Amino acid sequence: MQAPSQPQGQSLTPHVYWAQRHGELFLRVDLSDVQKPDVTISENTLFFRAHGHGAKGDNAYEFRLAFLEAVNSEPLFKTTERQVNITVKKIESKWWDRLTKQEKKPIFLVPDFDRWLDESDAETELREKEELEEINKISLESRVRKNSYVTMKTGYLFMYNLVQFLGFSWIFVNMSVRLFVFGQDSLFDTFHAVGDMMNFCQILAIVEVINPLLGLVKTALVPAIIQVLGRIMILFVVLGSQAEMQNKAAVFAVFYLWSIIEMFRYPYYMLSCIGTEWKILTWIRYTIWIPLYPLGVIAEAVCVVQSIPHFEESGRFTAQLPNPLNISFSFTYFLQVYLIIMFLGLFVNFRHLYKQRNKRLRPRKHKIY
C-alpha cells in the first residue's frame, strides 16, 4: 500500500546521516529518485530542498543546518538512485565536538556509522593520508627529475652524434671532391686540407671514453679507450708532430677509412637516442667495419713505419743520457713496440665488434613447444 502524499505546499524533513574528518563533513540524505536538488550554504548554514521519495513517500523535503564552525560556501553533492551525498569543506582543519551550532541535535540528524570514525581513528587516517600524499609527491618529483635527466641525456647524446656525423661527412665529401678534381695530387695534401676538422672530431671523441664512465651509455669501456687513444696517437703524435709525415699518401688512406666508418656509425647512434632504427643502416653499421677496420689499422701501421726514420733523425720525444732524470728513452723503439700493440688492439676490437654484430644481426631462435 502506497504512503499518502503530503498536502501540496508542505515540506517534510528527510533523514540525514553525518560523519566528519578533520577537513571535511559528510552528509547523506536518505532520499531516492531525486532530480536536481537545491543545495546551498549561506551565512554558514546549509539549505537543502529537493523532491524525492523518502520516509513519507514521494514529497518535497527540506532541511537546514547551522554549522558549529566556519565552512566553505560551495558544497559538493552527488545524487544516486537511493540518496544524495553532500561534502562540505571545513575552513579550519580540526575536529568538531558536534556538527551544529545548537547544542541539541536535530531529530532528523543521526551518525553515519558506515563512515563514522572517532577522533583518534580520524587522526590516524589523516596521518596515513598525509604520508601517502608525501610519498606520491616525492615519487612525482623523482619521476620529473628522472624525466628531465633522460631528456637532457638524450638531447646531449643526439647532438654529439649529429656533430660527429656532420664533421666526418664534411671530411669524406671534401676528400672525395678533391680526389675527383685534382686526382693523385690530392693524396699528398690531405692533412692540410681536412686536418683541422679531423683534429676537432678526434678531440671531441674523447667524450666516448667519459660517457660510459658516467653511465650515460652502456658500452664496453676498453674498446672505446683503444680506439680513441689509438687515433690520438696517430693523428697528434705520428702525423701532427712531424711535418714530413703530413704529405704522405698513407694519410689519405687513414682519414678516408676513418670517415667512411664514422659516417655510418654516428647516424646509427643518433637514431638510437630517439628510439628509431633503420634496418639497412643497422646492417651497414655492423658490417662495413669488417673490411674497413683492418684496412684502417694497416694504413695506420704504414704511417707509423714511415714515421720511424723521421723520429730517429729528429730525436723528437727521445730522452738521451745524461739528463736530470738519468733516464734514457728511445721513441723509435717505442713505436716499434706500438706496432705490436696496434695489432693486439685490432684483435680486441675485432672480437668485440664481431660479438656486437652477432647480437644485433643474428636471427633470434624461437622455442618450439
Side-chain angles (χ1 to χ4, degrees), residues 166-191:
L166 294 176
F168 280 104
S169 296
W170 183 90
I171 293 171
F172 175 80
V173 171
N174 187 295
M175 293 176 65
S176 298
V177 170
R178 288 175 58 80
L179 180 63
F180 178 78
V181 174
F182 300 110
Q184 293 185 356
D185 292 340
S186 68
L187 303 180
F188 303 102
D189 61 351
T190 299
F191 193 91

Side-chain angles (χ1 to χ4, degrees), residues 4-16:
S5 298
Q6 194 71 9
Q8 188 174 2
Q10 185 176 354
S11 295
L12 300 173
T13 304
H15 292 303
V16 180

Side-chain angles (χ1 to χ4, degrees), residues 228-339:
V228 171
L229 293 184
R231 289 189 177 182
I232 288 176
M233 176 68 182
I234 297 298
L235 184 59
F236 293 99
V237 178
V238 175
L239 302 180
S241 65
Q242 292 285 348
E244 296 84 357
M245 285 299 302
Q246 296 171 10
N247 59 0
K248 302 288 187 181
V251 177
F252 180 93
V254 171
F255 283 13
Y256 211 61
L257 292 169
W258 285 0
S259 61
I260 293 173
I261 292 173
E262 305 303 19
M263 281 174 56
F264 294 102
R265 186 168 73 99
Y266 285 116
Y268 170 80
Y269 288 141
M270 185 172 62
L271 294 178
S272 297
C273 291
I274 56 176
T276 303
E277 180 182 5
W278 293 350
K279 292 188 180 298
I280 184 63
L281 179 61
T282 301
W283 185 87
I284 295 174
R285 182 263 180 274
Y286 285 103
T287 304
I288 199 170
W289 62 268
I290 296 176
L292 297 188
Y293 189 61
L295 288 175
V297 173
I298 291 173
E300 293 171 18
V302 170
C303 289
V304 172
V305 171
Q306 290 180 340
S307 70
I308 290 177
H310 298 291
F311 280 109
E312 187 171 10
E313 181 180 354
S314 65
R316 189 182 297 273
F317 305 129
T318 295
Q320 297 180 345
L321 293 175
N323 59 63
L325 296 178
N326 200 29
I327 295 175
S328 63
F329 172 76
S330 174
F331 189 68
T332 55
Y333 289 152
F334 169 78
L335 289 177
Q336 295 172 26
V337 174
Y338 182 72
L339 284 172

Side-chain angles (χ1 to χ4, degrees), residues 110-172:
V110 294
D112 186 351
F113 290 108
D114 291 338
R115 305 193 69 170
W116 191 266
L117 292 177
D118 58 30
E119 184 175 3
S120 60
D121 291 337
E123 288 177 351
T124 301
E125 183 187 68
L126 180 63
R127 284 196 300 270
E128 291 175 351
K129 183 179 179 181
E130 290 175 346
E131 290 174 358
L132 181 60
E133 289 177 350
E134 184 66 22
I135 291 172
N136 290 337
K137 181 180 178 182
I138 294 172
S139 177
L140 178 61
E141 291 175 351
S142 176
R143 287 198 299 270
V144 169
R145 287 195 298 268
K146 183 177 180 180
N147 290 339
S148 299
Y149 167 76
V150 170
T151 302
M152 291 177 61
K153 184 181 79 170
T154 301
Y156 157 71
L157 293 175
F158 183 88
M159 289 304 300
Y160 166 74
N161 288 293
L162 175 60
V163 170
Q164 289 287 58
F165 166 68
L166 294 176
F168 280 104
S169 296
W170 183 90
I171 293 171
F172 175 80

